[in-house]
Amino acid sequence: MHTVGAAGVEIPALGFGTWQLKGAECEKMVTAALGAGFRHIDTAEMYDNEEAVGRGLKAAKLPRDEVFLTSKVWSSNLRDGQLQHAAEVSLKRLGLDYFDLYLIHWPSNDTSTREAIGALNEVRTRGLARAVGVANFPVKLIEEAVEASEAPLATNQVEYHPYLSQAPVLDACRRHGLSLTAYCPLARGKMVDDTVIGEIAEIHGRTPAQVTLRWLIQQDGVIAIPKTGNPDRLEENLGAADFTLTDEEMSRISALTQPDGRIVRMSGEPEWDT
Ligand SMILES: NC(=O)c1ccc[n+]([C@@H]2O[C@H](COP(=O)([O-])OP(=O)(O)OC[C@H]3O[C@@H](n4cnc5c(N)ncnc54)[C@H](OP(=O)(O)O)[C@@H]3O)[C@@H](O)[C@H]2O)c1
């Protein structure tokens, strides 16, 4: 599988999402994902599963430097001092010495971007994270974060799938050297019932999930982190890495965007670009 280089780290283009996986199921699925070939795992302090993710990693018995682990600090912990403490506690739960990538999970209306990004940079300079970045940042906040950050930012993790265009955000990420990590890459499973995706899948002898994930990771600088609790779907999702869509198919899928395609909504969310 190809990697996406940003801020000095190489991020595997497909990662395994763990939101909603908990306890023994999470542990088992993380080990199974690594066994199937995933080398990138996505968690967060808010998912309440970091201990289980850590146990799953340990059980897979891979050298630490072969796995790319991302976690995120929740938006109520962004003050200087609080954020660094939250990072230490997350690492302890994971049983790790460092994150490969540590992200601000959501911007906060209470803490300035400058303060949060300063604290995030300290996590990196103290060696607790190889790289740092943000999530759910619209263009205006990306510009603020890039301006405030001493270290280059590696990614902006946002909702992205064929029903939600992220053209302005992707453009800003590329301009500033960030990758874009697509969460909800399968639109929480909705993409597998789409007629156009189904037609293209049939042409390639692939599944709709593979075509959707392929559309994402075939775009320059884009990473996708599908979640599944079904071990049989791990290899299927990894299969997105080894075929190619034509330019015309890429455009047909891009045209599926919908004005109300956004799934994840939060109270106090920033003003989105699309
Ligand atoms: N930064 C943020 O604010 C944020 C927000 C949301 C999510 N995330 C991250 O992004 C990850 C992915 O997002 P998500 O979990 O919300 O949505 P998703 O990956 O788009 O969709 C997951 C859903 O798709 C189904 N699915 C997975 N593979 C499939 C396949 N091959 N065929 C058919 N259905 C399939 C899963 O069902 P089964 O489990 O039954 O297979 C599950 O219901 C999360 O786990 C989390 O790590 C980040």
Side-chain angles (χ1 to χ4, degrees), residues 16-20 42-43 47 72 74 105-106 135-136 157-158 182-190 192 207 209-210 225-230 233 236-237 264:
F16 180 66
T18 66
W19 182 56
Q20 284 183 322
D42 183 82
T43 181
Y47 298 171
K72 319 181 195 82
W74 191 239
H105 203 148
W106 280 87
N136 297 298
Q157 184 178 120
V158 292
Y183 77 65
C184 297
L186 299 170
R188 298 245 161 101
K190 276 199 282 177
V192 303
T207 68
Q210 289 174 328
I225 49 169
K227 171 263 173 187
T228 180
N230 179 343
R233 288 177 169 163
E236 177 187 348
N237 292 349
V264 174

Side-chain angles (χ1 to χ4, degrees), residues 7-8 83-84 87 99-100 102 118-133 149-153:
L83 187 150
Q84 295 92 322
F99 309 102
D100 294 283
Y102 194 54
L120 188 71
N121 270 253
E122 198 185 306
V123 170
R124 196 189 75 95
T125 52
R126 282 176 50 196
L128 304 183
R130 293 174 59 225
V132 291
S149 188
E150 275 178 32
L153 300 172

Side-chain angles (χ1 to χ4, degrees), residues 176-200:
H176 292 293
L178 283 77
S179 60
L180 186 154
T181 304
Y183 77 65
C184 297
L186 299 170
R188 298 245 161 101
K190 276 199 282 177
M191 293 317 310
V192 303
D193 298 321
D194 185 273
T195 316
V196 170
I197 298 280
E199 279 171 25
I200 296 172

Side-chain angles (χ1 to χ4, degrees), residues 1-15:
M1 182 194 309
H2 72 272
T3 57
V4 175
V9 292
E10 290 294 325
I11 311 172
L14 284 170

